[in-house]
Amino acid sequence: MMTIKNLKAEEIRKSILQLAIQGKLVKQDPNDEPASELVKRIYAEKQKLIKEGKIKKDKNESYIFKGDDNCYYEKIGNNEPVKLEDLPFDIPDNWAWVRLNDIIHIQTGASFKKEQSTQEAKDGLIRVLRGGNILPFQYSLKSDDLYIPQELVSDDIILRRNDLITPAVTSLENIGKIAVINTELSNTTAGGFVYIFRPYFNNVIMSDLIADFVSSSAYLSMMKDITKKSGQAFYNMNKEKLLQLYFPIAPFAEMKRIVDKLNKCVPLVTEYSLFEEKLSKLESEFPEKLKKSILQYAIEGKLVKQDPNDEPASVLLERIKKEKERLIKEGKIKRDKSESYIYQGDDKNYYEKIQNKDTIIDSVFDIPSTWNYIRLSNVLSVARGGSPRPIQDYITNDPDGLNWIKIGDTNINSKYINSCKEKIKPSGLSKTRFVSKGDFLLTNSMSFGHPYILAIEGCIHDGWLVLSDFCNAYNKDYLYYLLSSPYVYKSFCSSVGGSVVKNLNSDKVSNTIIPLPPLSEQNRIVVKLDYIFNNLLVY
């Protein structure tokens, strides 16, 4: 059995409205004038409007009554009473069933061509409220509302206080959205895809109750049953069928009590809905925020215990220096003119020695004593891709073509790039950049800084940066997690250029300061992160 704590705000609202429409929200008072007397007054007002020529007489006018057998019957014209077997629910004895046609007059709003409208408010023009102006139970006046000449609008569709407006053509989820015109509007009408409900009994209580009842679960179901799909996303509500829907009328005194009760309940549900939205947003953001927190914890050396038997990162760096010297001598990499090393001073601050000068480093966090800070360029090479142009001249279907790796070949939730859709001719190789399996690619524009590990080889355009770990300083999985961390992303953000389209500069990325743990600790961190993300968090 569903309890209130399991319900969404919208479900609670509809449940409350359903109780109201069935006469279960407030107690009945035997001293109330029965609804049948109100129906007679509404009927008299309708006849008056017919006599004045303001509305037309129904061809099949009917009335509904309750028989001695406690069943409801409907008399249509001079026909014998017809038993109503399809009423949606029971109502209290002092209530009455009517057709919607018995209590309101429905009109369609103004029709006009686009060239007949303007968005500029001027004397002699009529503002048009369309579907987008209709909110649940209220309307909004918008800055992009249209205005049309007065001659296109008949007096009877100028909106009045206590009118109601609802979309006649709308999406499925917006069927039944209805607004009460609760103020005097001057020179305002509804559009041609909007229905105007005008109660014969012009009273704010009646209008509010119609809006509440139409928004109930039972009524929404009835309204959906009389709509016809128009195109791919829109539904037309049949006016004639709408007028024939059954509607429960309460004694007027009870109507007041129902409206008072709803006015107390609905704000509470609205407040609950706001908390629900905040909670939903928190729940949707929580996994990603938690993931970022865990990654940050990992790159600060706080996720796994340090092992005093681990070879410290400083020893690894000495081997990397020797390896770099070998690669420089062989001409495979170039010497960094401003090569530096980072150390921690006696005052616990981090310093960088560049060309015999010491510079204090800001915006870094403390790391374990077995770790080191380095510039990314100390262990990785960073280069930008390139595109042969015009690229259309180089695209080929030849099996011997080179993989042409584009950002469209990625999945935001994927760690690897496993395939690509296009190839380029080998003749374009000199104008682009070749990348190998195991290299890292970084998006360098728009949604910049997202890392991918290459599981294929090929060529990349200038929307990519490629990072190659020429010294094997990092476990590849650890490097992926490091490059995905909030700290590194924030560092990339501080280095982007461009006023409109942000681009990562390869030189600035090379200068990013990153922590280097011992290789054995990197391996332990990867095992722990893999376990957390594969078993505890689902992405």
Side-chain angles (χ1 to χ4, degrees):
M1 183 176 181
M2 185 174 285
T3 62
I4 193 78
K5 67 180 181 180
N6 300 125
L7 293 175
K8 299 287 187 183
E10 182 61 16
E11 293 171 324
I12 294 173
R13 186 181 70 83
K14 287 179 181 178
S15 295
I16 292 171
L17 294 175
Q18 189 60 31
L19 291 174
I21 196 174
Q22 290 180 259
K24 297 178 179 179
L25 189 65
V26 299
K27 287 183 178 180
Q28 277 74 51
D29 186 336
N31 297 314
D32 287 344
E33 177 188 77
S36 56
E37 295 301 314
L38 175 59
V39 172
K40 289 177 184 177
R41 290 199 296 276
I42 295 173
Y43 180 77
E45 183 62 28
K46 182 178 178 182
Q47 297 307 309
K48 178 173 171 284
L49 294 172
I50 292 171
K51 193 172 182 179
E52 292 173 354
K54 294 180 179 178
I55 63 172
K56 293 181 180 179
K57 185 177 177 66
D58 297 333
K59 294 178 182 178
N60 288 313
E61 193 166 272
S62 68
Y63 68 94
I64 297 170
F65 63 95
K66 193 171 187 179
D68 296 334
D69 56 359
N70 285 326
C71 290
Y72 286 93
Y73 293 85
E74 182 173 26
K75 193 172 182 76
I76 303 177
N78 294 316
N79 294 336
E80 291 299 317
V82 178
K83 187 174 181 179
L84 298 180
E85 297 177 344
D86 297 323
L87 288 172
F89 44 79
D90 290 331
I91 55 174
D93 288 341
N94 59 349
W95 287 39
W97 279 109
V98 296
R99 298 273 186 179
L100 196 57
N101 185 45
D102 296 323
I103 59 171
I104 64 170
H105 181 56
I106 298 182
Q107 300 174 94
T108 305
S111 296
F112 55 91
K113 297 177 181 177
K114 187 176 181 181
E115 56 268 22
Q116 294 174 302
S117 66
T118 178
Q119 286 183 292
E120 186 177 354
K122 294 179 181 178
D123 291 340
L125 294 181
I126 305 293
R127 184 195 289 264
V128 181
L129 301 187
R130 295 167 288 167
N133 297 93
I134 303 173
L135 307 173
F137 304 107
Q138 59 183 317
Y139 62 90
S140 67
L141 302 180
K142 301 165 67 176
S143 59
D144 61 349
D145 282 344
L146 297 180
Y147 295 81
I148 58 175
Q150 197 164 7
E151 56 266 25
L152 297 177
V153 184
S154 58
D155 289 342
D156 60 340
I157 60 171
I158 293 291
L159 293 175
R160 308 171 192 172
R161 185 193 288 269
N162 299 329
D163 282 350
L164 302 98
I165 52 176
T166 189
V169 180
T170 186
S171 59
L172 188 62
E173 61 271 16
N174 284 329
I175 291 173
K177 188 179 284 187
I178 191 166
V180 179
I181 305 299
N182 52 10
T183 57
E184 290 293 347
L185 293 177
S186 60
N187 300 325
T188 304
T189 187
F193 296 119
V194 172
Y195 286 142
I196 302 170
F197 288 10
R198 182 160 294 156
Y200 298 126
F201 186 61
N202 187 5
N203 182 283
V204 64
I205 298 293
M206 176 65 81
S207 294
D208 285 347
L209 208 63
I210 290 172
D212 291 329
F213 282 13
V214 165
S215 300
S216 68
S217 298
Y219 227 81
L220 287 173
S221 178
M222 288 190 285
M223 293 176 82
K224 287 177 181 178
D225 286 342
I226 62 170
T227 58
K228 182 179 180 182
K229 195 167 186 181
S230 172
Q232 290 186 334
F234 291 98
Y235 290 77
N236 292 327
M237 191 179 302
N238 185 290
K239 179 180 174 183
E240 298 307 317
K241 291 181 179 179
L242 180 60
L243 286 168
Q244 293 305 307
L245 292 181
Y246 300 120
F247 197 89
I249 292 287
F252 189 67
E254 188 172 344
M255 282 188 186
K256 291 181 179 179
R257 296 197 298 275
I258 291 172
V259 169
D260 286 343
K261 188 78 169 182
L262 289 173
N263 286 341
K264 292 177 182 177
C265 293
V266 171
L268 295 175
V269 176
T270 301
E271 186 177 356
Y272 174 70
S273 176
L274 295 175
F275 282 116
E276 186 179 76
E277 288 176 14
K278 290 179 181 178
L279 179 61
S280 178
K281 184 179 180 184
L282 180 63
E283 287 176 343
S284 66
E285 293 175 347
F286 178 73
E288 188 59 29
K289 287 184 176 179
L290 180 58
K291 180 182 178 182
K292 289 178 180 178
S293 296
I294 293 170
L295 287 175
Q296 188 63 29
Y297 211 61
I299 70 165
E300 290 181 15
K302 297 174 181 177
L303 190 67
V304 299
K305 288 184 178 180
Q306 278 72 52
D307 186 337
N309 297 314
D310 287 344
E311 177 188 80
S314 58
V315 176
L316 173 60
L317 280 174
E318 288 302 318
R319 285 204 306 275
I320 289 171
K321 288 178 183 178
K322 291 177 182 178
E323 178 64 10
K324 283 182 71 173
E325 286 300 321
R326 183 182 69 81
L327 294 172
I328 290 168
K329 283 182 181 179
E330 294 175 0
K332 293 181 179 178
I333 63 172
K334 293 181 179 179
R335 185 179 297 281
D336 187 352
K337 295 178 182 178
S338 57
E339 190 161 349
S340 66
Y341 69 90
I342 297 170
Y343 64 95
Q344 191 174 33
D346 295 334
D347 56 1
K348 301 298 183 182
N349 286 324
Y350 289 94
Y351 293 86
E352 183 173 24
K353 197 167 190 69
I354 305 175
Q355 296 174 343
N356 298 319
K357 292 181 181 179
D358 281 354
T359 304
I360 193 167
I361 299 175
D362 295 321
S363 303
V364 293
F365 44 83
D366 285 338
I367 53 176
S369 58
T370 54
W371 292 34
N372 266 82
Y373 270 116
I374 58 172
R375 294 274 180 187
L376 197 144
S377 59
N378 293 151
V379 296
L380 302 174
S381 65
V382 182
R384 189 175 182 179
S387 298
R389 290 184 171 84
I391 187 60
Q392 292 82 1
D393 293 348
Y394 289 89
I395 299 297
T396 180
N397 293 321
D398 193 322
D400 294 331
L402 302 170
N403 286 328
W404 182 235
I405 303 166
K406 300 194 297 184
I407 294 174
D409 296 315
T410 66
N411 183 321
I412 191 66
N413 296 315
S414 177
K415 182 176 182 179
Y416 298 95
I417 298 177
N418 297 299
S419 62
C420 62
K421 300 178 186 69
E422 293 182 339
K423 293 179 180 290
I424 62 169
K425 299 172 183 177
S427 58
L429 181 59
S430 62
K431 300 179 182 180
T432 182
R433 185 172 297 278
F434 190 80
V435 289
S436 304
K437 289 182 182 180
D439 283 347
F440 278 75
L441 293 188
L442 278 182
T443 49
N444 81 345
S445 62
M446 302 301 285
S447 179
F448 59 81
H450 192 90
Y452 296 93
I453 303 175
L454 275 173
I456 58 174
E457 61 181 25
C459 300
I460 56 170
H461 55 67
D462 49 11
W464 289 112
L465 293 181
V466 57
L467 281 61
S468 299
D469 186 0
F470 54 80
C471 295
N472 296 317
Y474 283 101
N475 172 308
K476 277 189 166 43
D477 293 309
Y478 177 83
L479 181 58
Y480 173 80
Y481 285 131
L482 174 63
L483 294 173
S484 303
S485 69
Y487 165 75
V488 171
Y489 181 74
K490 185 178 179 181
S491 298
F492 287 163
C493 286
S494 65
S495 69
V496 293
S499 57
V500 179
V501 178
K502 303 296 185 182
N503 292 285
L504 281 176
N505 179 287
S506 58
D507 290 334
K508 290 182 178 179
V509 169
S510 295
N511 282 323
T512 301
I513 296 172
I514 54 175
L516 176 67
L519 273 172
S520 51
E521 188 171 347
Q522 291 182 37
N523 296 335
R524 294 198 301 275
I525 291 172
V526 167
V527 170
K528 190 69 173 278
L529 288 175
D530 284 348
Y531 175 78
I532 292 172
F533 295 149
N534 292 333
N535 296 283
L536 303 183
L537 295 175
V538 178
Y539 295 96

